[in-house]
Every structure is written in C-alpha cells, then in structure tokens.
Amino acid sequence: MKIEQQLKGLHDSFERALAVQDWDVLAQLDSKLQRAIPKIRQQPLTQAEKLQLQKLNALYDTMIAAGEREKAHIQQQINQQASNQEGMHAYLQHQK
C-alpha cells in the first residue's frame, strides 16, 4: 500500500505542477521518480500499484507533450527576438 500511496502522491504533484506549468517543480519530481523506479522494479507490485504506475505513465506522456509545446513556444520567442535585433541593426545602419 505504501508504494501505491507514493505513486499517487507523485501523480498528484505532477498534475499540480503541470497545471501551473512549473517546469522547475516538474524537473524535481522527474528526478525523484527516476530515483524511485529502480527500487519499485525490485518489488512485486499489486494490481493497484500497477494501475498507479499506468496512470503516472499516461500523465508522463502528457507532460512530455506539454514540455515540447513550451519548448517550441520559447524557440519561437527567441527567433522573434533575433529577427527584431536584425531589423534594429539594419535600421541603425541606415541612420548613419
């Protein structure tokens, strides 16, 4: 039962962090999960524990997709900033 509760707690924490897009907390939770996985694999799991792992895995896929969207959004902002700087440099060159 302890593993099931821990997995549910992790799942809930991941959901809360994802809802507010707190990428730092998500990274911390991911590290915590990565450290826990080898320990979990060493133990026989109940059906309830397996179900919690499946839920966590499904949420993990959602988190990966959200991270990829955020990465694309940030890359777009960086590209826009670079484009704005190029335009500003061109403008300044014509002002001389």
Side-chain angles (χ1 to χ4, degrees):
M1 184 64 95
K2 184 179 177 188
I3 292 175
E4 180 185 357
Q5 291 171 342
Q6 289 174 337
L7 292 173
K8 180 165 182 7
L10 266 176
H11 182 276
D12 293 347
S13 295
F14 270 119
E15 276 189 328
R16 285 190 298 274
L18 184 59
V20 296
Q21 294 188 343
D22 191 333
W23 305 107
D24 291 332
V25 170
L26 286 168
Q28 292 168 4
L29 290 168
D30 181 56
S31 293
K32 185 176 180 179
L33 178 60
Q34 296 307 317
R35 287 189 307 271
I37 287 174
K39 295 174 189 172
I40 292 170
R41 286 185 175 162
Q42 293 175 355
Q43 302 175 30
L45 300 177
T46 66
Q47 281 304 111
E49 291 165 344
K50 289 178 184 178
L51 180 61
Q52 282 301 323
L53 274 175
Q54 289 173 347
K55 287 181 181 180
L56 195 53
N57 191 46
L59 180 59
Y60 210 81
D61 289 342
T62 302
M63 289 184 295
I64 297 290
E68 289 296 324
R69 285 191 301 275
E70 182 67 11
K71 178 182 170 186
H73 177 72
I74 290 171
Q75 187 62 49
Q76 181 182 16
Q77 289 177 328
I78 290 169
N79 291 343
Q80 182 65 40
Q81 183 69 22
S83 178
N84 290 347
Q85 285 179 340
E86 289 173 13
M88 183 60 78
H89 287 298
Y91 174 78
L92 291 173
Q93 290 296 323
H94 284 313
Q95 295 300 314
K96 291 182 180 179

